[in-house]
């Protein structure tokens, strides 16, 4: 079940990129998954949703975007930096 390890890596990437921006929480994560990436998308979604239910994500919105090819990449992150102007 490599989908769990991939989901853990996506979360690690999200945390790593949120930290330098003093983000208090990750609000959304978008991932592009290629049709030939060898990933069971439903299983991957399940794993990611379970992980995104925990801090620092606390219910972050997940978007999985299908694509051609064998890509798997984090497309974008939405973070909350705690500033009232957002």
């Amino acid at each position: 079940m490599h989908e769990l390890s991939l989901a853990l890596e996506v979360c690690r990437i999200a945390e790593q990129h949120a930290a330098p921006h003093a983000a208090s929480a990750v609000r959304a994560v978008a991932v592009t998954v290629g049709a030939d990436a060898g990933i069971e998308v439903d299983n991957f979604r399940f794993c990611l949703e379970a992980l995104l239910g925990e801090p620092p994500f606390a219910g972050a919105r997940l978007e999985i975007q299908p694509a051609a090819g064998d890509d798997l990449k984090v497309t974008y992150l939405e973070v909350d930096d705690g500033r009232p102007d957002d």
Side-chain angles (χ1 to χ4, degrees):
M1 180 162 138
H2 74 283
E3 284 79 3
L4 177 57
S5 63
L6 294 172
L8 286 165
E9 184 64 13
V10 167
C11 290
R12 188 196 63 77
I13 290 167
E15 284 183 282
Q16 180 181 9
H17 286 291
H21 303 288
S24 60
V26 176
R27 298 290 179 214
V29 177
V31 181
T32 299
V33 179
D36 298 327
I39 297 170
E40 292 182 22
V41 176
D42 290 337
N43 192 357
F44 183 56
R45 178 184 307 278
F46 175 81
C47 293
L48 267 173
E49 287 176 347
L51 293 169
L52 293 176
E54 300 297 321
F57 308 108
R61 188 175 70 254
L62 173 63
E63 182 178 333
I64 296 179
Q65 304 163 335
D70 60 0
D71 288 344
L72 172 62
K73 58 185 159 184
V74 176
T75 310
Y76 74 85
L77 300 171
E78 180 181 317
V79 297
D80 181 359
D81 61 6
R83 295 186 307 185
D85 61 339
D86 291 342

